[in-house]
């Protein structure tokens, strides 16, 4: 949804690469580039961060500062700031900003804050978000929280039908039945989760992402089983061919004898 909204608004989407070698230094370099694009080039941008992007909890220190004030301490060196301010002198002059370091800094940060939109996609499952909110209050205090509720059954069926439309499953009625069954399974798990909470006082969340993972699992399992079946058919046909050839050889030997 974030990427769709960004595309509609003409914003560039930036994320954090999820690799084992990505660390604090790489994050700082990426943030520098984002600040230059938004603060100097005035590029409208969406900085999308999900749970999987937080490879280290220290990443949230930078995110917290970004959300709270836009000023990340020691992100740029004095020489880098001088280069940035030099690039901003003309637009700053046009905006009536004094040519002082403090005024230029405020002008630069304001441009970043206006052009960069930070979107956090965090799951409420478990205690991780609760702990992060206590450690980094800007995650809650400086954001607008959108809670996405469960999809209605009709929406689940429609989504399943969309992802199953390219599969070879025979008649359309078969695809529709599978889509309805997937929706029923997903909703039944949600009902069972409520009963589980009543009995054990522990949450089990079923989210739209869980439903999409269910569809992906079905498609993957279907492909695996079809591959296994084709291999068995090939072995069966090879065996039949071998038996047929053996029978022909036996008949030939009998005639010779």
């Amino acid at each position: 949804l974030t990427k769709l909204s960004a595309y509609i608004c003409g914003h560039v989407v930036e994320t954090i690469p999820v690799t084992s070698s990505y660390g604090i230094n790489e994050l700082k370099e990426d943030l520098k580039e984002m600040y230059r694009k938004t603060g100097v080039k005035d590029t409208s941008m969406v900085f999308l961060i999900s749970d999987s992007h937080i490879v280290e909890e220290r990443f949230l220190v930078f995110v917290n500062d970004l959300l709270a004030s836009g000023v990340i301490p020691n992100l740029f060196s004095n020489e880098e700031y001088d280069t940035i301010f030099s690039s901003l002198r003309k637009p700053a002059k046009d905006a009536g900003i004094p040519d002082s370091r403090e005024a230029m800094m405020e002008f630069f940060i304001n441009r970043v804050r206006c052009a960069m939109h930070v979107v956090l996609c965090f799951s409420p499952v478990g205690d991780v978000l609760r702990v992060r909110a206590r450690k980094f209050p800007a995650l809650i205090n400086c954001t607008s929280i959108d809670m996405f509720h469960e999809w209605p059954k009709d929406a689940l069926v429609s989504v399943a039908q969309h992802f199953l439309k390219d599969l070879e499953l025979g008649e359309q009625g078969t695809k529709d039945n599978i889509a309805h069954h997937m929706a029923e399974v997903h909703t039944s798990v949600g009902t069972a989760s409520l009963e589980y909470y009543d009995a054990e006082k522990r949450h089990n969340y079923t989210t739209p992402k869980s439903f999409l993972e269910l569809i992906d699992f079905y498609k993957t399992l279907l492909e695996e089983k079809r591959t296994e079946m084709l291999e068995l058919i090939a072995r069966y046909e090879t065996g039949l061919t071998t038996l047929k050839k053996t029978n022909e050889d036996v008949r030939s030997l009998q005639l010779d004898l």
Side-chain angles (χ1 to χ4, degrees):
L1 290 177
T2 299
K3 292 181 178 179
L4 175 62
S5 301
Y7 175 78
I8 293 173
C9 295
H11 294 351
V12 177
V13 178
E14 295 285 351
T15 60
I16 298 174
V18 183
T19 61
S20 58
S21 60
Y22 193 88
I24 292 295
N25 293 331
E26 288 75 17
L27 175 62
K28 290 179 68 174
E29 290 301 320
D30 285 345
L31 285 172
K32 284 182 181 180
E33 186 60 27
M34 292 181 201
Y35 268 58
R36 291 189 181 100
K37 287 180 179 179
T38 53
V40 178
K41 299 179 182 178
D42 198 25
T43 302
S44 297
M45 178 184 297
V46 173
F47 185 19
L48 176 60
I49 309 170
S50 67
D51 286 316
S52 61
H53 294 141
I54 308 300
V55 181
E56 298 183 36
E57 288 296 305
R58 290 187 297 168
F59 286 9
L60 293 174
V61 176
F62 295 90
V63 176
N64 187 77
D65 292 336
L66 173 60
L67 292 171
S69 63
V71 179
I72 300 178
N74 302 319
L75 181 62
F76 292 100
S77 64
N78 290 331
E79 292 76 12
E80 289 172 325
Y81 272 124
D82 290 338
T83 303
I84 291 172
F85 296 159
S86 176
S87 302
L88 288 176
R89 278 198 170 85
K90 186 179 185 305
K93 183 178 180 181
D94 295 339
I97 304 299
D99 190 9
S100 65
R101 193 173 186 83
E102 292 76 14
M104 292 297 292
M105 174 67 79
E106 183 179 357
F107 180 66
F108 171 58
I109 295 301
N110 285 338
R111 283 170 65 94
V112 172
R113 289 170 63 88
C114 289
M116 184 186 295
H117 306 274
V118 182
V119 179
L120 307 176
C121 299
F122 290 166
S123 172
V125 178
D127 296 328
V128 176
L129 181 59
R130 188 179 297 109
V131 172
R132 287 174 175 174
R134 286 199 299 265
K135 290 182 178 179
F136 310 103
L139 298 180
I140 303 298
N141 298 335
C142 301
T143 57
S144 298
I145 300 176
D146 293 325
M147 297 293 293
F148 291 89
H149 298 284
E150 61 183 20
W151 291 347
K153 190 172 182 179
D154 290 344
L156 296 173
V157 172
S158 178
V159 169
Q161 288 174 334
H162 172 75
F163 284 102
L164 295 176
K165 66 180 181 181
D166 295 329
L167 291 181
E168 295 181 6
L169 295 171
E171 299 179 356
Q172 181 61 37
T174 303
K175 294 182 181 181
D176 293 339
N177 290 336
I178 294 174
H180 280 85
H181 178 69
M182 286 181 170
E184 183 63 32
V185 169
H186 184 75
T187 53
S188 65
V189 171
T191 302
S193 297
L194 295 176
E195 297 174 356
Y196 176 68
Y197 177 77
D198 291 337
E200 303 293 337
K201 302 304 178 185
R202 298 181 64 181
H203 288 285
N204 177 59
Y205 295 95
T206 53
T207 63
K209 183 179 179 181
S210 304
F211 185 66
L212 296 178
E213 290 174 349
L214 169 64
I215 298 174
D216 287 338
F217 174 72
Y218 172 78
K219 294 169 68 175
T220 301
L221 186 61
L222 178 65
E223 183 64 27
E224 290 178 357
K225 293 302 180 182
R226 280 181 169 172
T227 302
E228 291 178 6
M229 188 61 64
L230 290 174
E231 291 176 353
L232 290 174
I233 291 173
R235 290 172 60 185
Y236 177 74
E237 291 177 343
T238 301
L240 289 177
T241 302
T242 303
L243 288 174
K244 183 178 180 181
K245 185 177 184 305
T246 302
N247 287 333
E248 292 175 352
D249 292 342
V250 169
R251 291 195 193 96
S252 177
L253 289 173
Q254 287 175 342
L255 292 174
D256 292 341
L257 294 175

